[in-house]
Amino acid sequence: MPKILALTPGDPAGIGPDLAIGLANLSTADKIVIIADRNLLAERARKLKCDVLLPEYCCDRSNAVIEVLHTSCDIPVKAGKGDPRHSNYVISTLNRAVDGCMTGEFDALVTGPVNKEMMNRSGLDFMGHTEYLAHKTGSDCPVMMLMNERMKVVLITTHIPLNEVAAQIDCNRIVSVVRVVHRDLAAQFGLESPRIGVCGLNPHAGEGGKLGKEEILEISPAIEILSKEGVNVSGPYPADTIFSSQRLSQFDVVVAMYHDQGLPVIKHASFGEIVNVTLGLPIVRTSVDHGTAYDIAGQGVADSGSLLQALRLAGQLAARR
């Protein structure tokens, strides 16, 4: 029986609505419920000159179809023109999707891109989907993992300024994150004992303390604790060598210390094919690997590759659960 995947297109002025409309005429293995303003989607479809059907959502699980669960957007939308006033609409679509996942109405959540600047200019304290979904679901340790068919990259810290990263590299946090990775890669991805490689924070993994002591004081002790628990983890490795082809082949997942240590590597390798997965939640959540792309919104040139991969993976993970 098809799974029901809730899709939130994200910022209504970005390419999220374009990508959602692009799904309408595709065949799908699962039922996709687009949680969005029906009028907004219809207007964007006209702008894109797309002839699509947007049937209303019903709870029937027997058919793999694409439907729309209407959520009103009361602020006018112009493609490519971000507006902080759209933030309440974005949050309302997210809340409806999460509530449905928590009750079992939906089997997974797939999120489109939002613009954090616009969200925060509205007065919301919004660090990103990962942090918001953790708060919404009461999860203590959400873990961001970006993946393609060849590589998985997990982050210890996510959306914080670079000058705050070192203070967040804490033994207990590393232990908590890697425990979630070990558990969820086994439960959701079928990797019974995932091979986990951990990056250092500093150049050359600290060079024995000469270039920084986080490896000695925080990262290595965390790896020792985890190893004693039976976790297949090793490191810390210099970040400039762990991503070499030879070294990568030794691991199922690489744990990076901060956002721009790990993500540029995987995005350079396969931007547009990457899926963002949140581990450590009571629900399945995947997302696209790109932003709102205001500069091309409404022009019909947005690449749907990442969204299609996110939907496909969400259905697979939901089936395993």
Side-chain angles (χ1 to χ4, degrees):
M1 182 175 294
K3 298 297 180 181
I4 301 182
L5 312 180
L7 170 62
T8 55
D11 189 324
I15 61 172
D18 302 35
L19 298 176
I21 289 163
L23 298 172
N25 291 327
L26 296 178
S27 60
T28 174
D30 296 297
K31 181 170 183 172
I32 300 172
V33 180
I34 303 172
I35 302 178
D37 188 299
R38 173 181 296 280
N39 297 323
L40 162 67
L41 293 179
E43 181 179 344
R44 189 66 61 87
R46 287 192 293 271
K47 183 176 182 62
L48 296 172
K49 298 180 180 179
C50 292
D51 184 16
V52 297
L53 295 175
L54 300 170
E56 293 184 8
Y57 164 63
C58 68
C59 296
D60 181 9
R61 284 180 169 267
S62 62
N63 296 317
V65 294
I66 298 172
E67 298 173 340
V68 177
L69 196 167
H70 177 71
T71 300
S72 180
C73 180
D74 298 327
I75 304 299
V77 176
K78 183 176 181 180
K81 300 294 183 181
D83 189 330
R85 296 176 299 168
H86 294 149
S87 299
N88 287 335
Y89 165 72
V90 173
I91 292 297
S92 67
T93 63
L94 275 176
N95 287 344
R96 177 64 180 89
V98 174
D99 290 345
C101 288
M102 293 293 284
T103 62
E105 178 185 4
F106 307 134
D107 297 301
L109 166 62
V110 179
T111 57
V114 298
N115 185 290
K116 298 180 188 66
E117 179 186 356
M118 293 298 164
M119 299 291 284
N120 284 283
R121 280 174 56 187
S122 74
L124 294 172
D125 183 14
F126 187 87
M127 293 180 65
H129 274 112
T130 302
E131 296 81 5
Y132 183 79
L133 295 174
H135 172 74
K136 179 72 176 172
T137 60
S139 304
D140 294 330
C141 188
V143 175
M144 178 185 288
M145 181 175 77
L146 268 74
M147 60 173 287
N148 57 22
E149 293 183 355
R150 300 171 298 281
M151 190 187 317
K152 296 180 178 68
V153 177
V154 158
L155 301 180
I156 294 296
T157 63
T158 54
H159 301 115
I160 62 174
L162 187 59
N163 64 4
E164 297 178 12
V165 168
Q168 298 295 320
I169 303 305
D170 173 78
C171 176
N172 291 331
R173 175 167 179 78
I174 295 168
V175 168
S176 297
V177 168
V178 175
R179 282 174 178 160
V180 170
V181 173
H182 173 77
R183 181 195 68 207
D184 283 10
L185 288 187
Q188 298 188 45
F189 290 84
L191 297 171
E192 185 173 342
S193 181
R195 302 167 300 165
I196 303 170
V198 178
C199 293
L201 171 66
N202 299 293
H204 303 175
E207 198 76 74
K210 293 181 180 180
L211 301 179
K213 297 188 182 300
E214 286 82 4
E215 288 78 10
I216 296 171
L217 299 178
E218 307 293 345
I219 303 173
S220 291
I223 291 170
E224 184 176 354
I225 291 170
L226 291 158
S227 296
K228 289 179 178 178
E229 295 176 358
V231 177
N232 187 358
V233 60
S234 61
Y237 298 101
D240 63 349
T241 59
I242 194 173
F243 288 106
S244 66
S245 298
Q246 181 180 6
R247 183 69 79 177
L248 271 177
S249 67
Q250 301 172 15
F251 302 115
D252 296 303
V253 60
V254 171
V255 177
M257 292 296 113
Y258 58 95
H259 189 282
D260 281 13
Q261 183 182 59
L263 299 197
V265 180
I266 189 170
K267 289 194 176 186
H268 172 73
S270 56
F271 189 77
E273 302 172 7
I274 301 166
V275 180
N276 183 350
V277 183
T278 306
L279 307 178
L281 299 180
I283 65 174
V284 172
R285 182 260 174 161
T286 67
S287 183
V288 297
D289 70 341
H290 55 74
T292 52
Y294 290 140
D295 58 323
I296 60 171
Q299 297 179 28
V301 296
D303 186 345
S304 62
S306 182
L307 177 59
L308 295 175
Q309 294 287 358
L311 288 163
R312 187 176 297 113
L313 180 60
Q316 293 170 352
L317 297 179
R320 290 188 184 125
R321 285 201 172 190

